Amino acid sequence: MRILFFASLKETLNCGELTIDHSEQLRTVNDLLDLLSVKGEPWQSALENNKILVAINQEIGKRGDPIAPNDEIALFPPVTGG
């Protein structure tokens, strides 16, 4: 599974892309975020934000959406406009 991080989230985590092996325990985006949060700080603080936007295979998704082994998951910070 390929995970992409964008904008300030990428900067905070000092990581633009991560590849992980999918397991049966990863059923939803929430499961993935919980797994990544175990990495400690700054991961935990950055990923606990309920306003993080998610795209699954380049389509906007929700935290409860299912994920599959070959999915690409993109995580974005909240979008602000001006």
Side-chain angles (χ1 to χ4, degrees):
M1 179 178 300
R2 184 175 177 210
I3 302 128
L4 305 173
F5 304 95
F6 291 94
S8 62
L9 194 54
K10 177 180 176 178
E11 293 172 16
T12 299
L13 299 175
N14 196 28
C15 181
E17 183 176 331
L18 188 63
T19 302
I20 63 168
D21 291 327
H22 186 276
S23 76
E24 291 181 20
Q25 297 167 339
L26 292 178
R27 295 185 201 131
T28 66
V29 173
N30 267 333
D31 294 339
L32 173 63
L33 295 175
D34 288 345
L35 175 72
L36 294 174
S37 292
V38 173
K39 293 172 71 86
E41 292 300 331
W43 294 82
Q44 186 174 7
S45 296
L47 298 175
E48 73 183 1
N49 183 345
N50 286 331
K51 297 182 192 254
I52 288 178
L53 301 174
V54 176
I56 304 167
N57 299 321
Q58 301 180 4
E59 292 190 21
I60 296 298
K62 299 176 188 165
R63 288 176 166 250
D65 286 349
I67 56 177
N70 294 321
D71 284 347
E72 176 187 86
I73 311 297
L75 302 174
F76 306 83
V79 177
T80 59

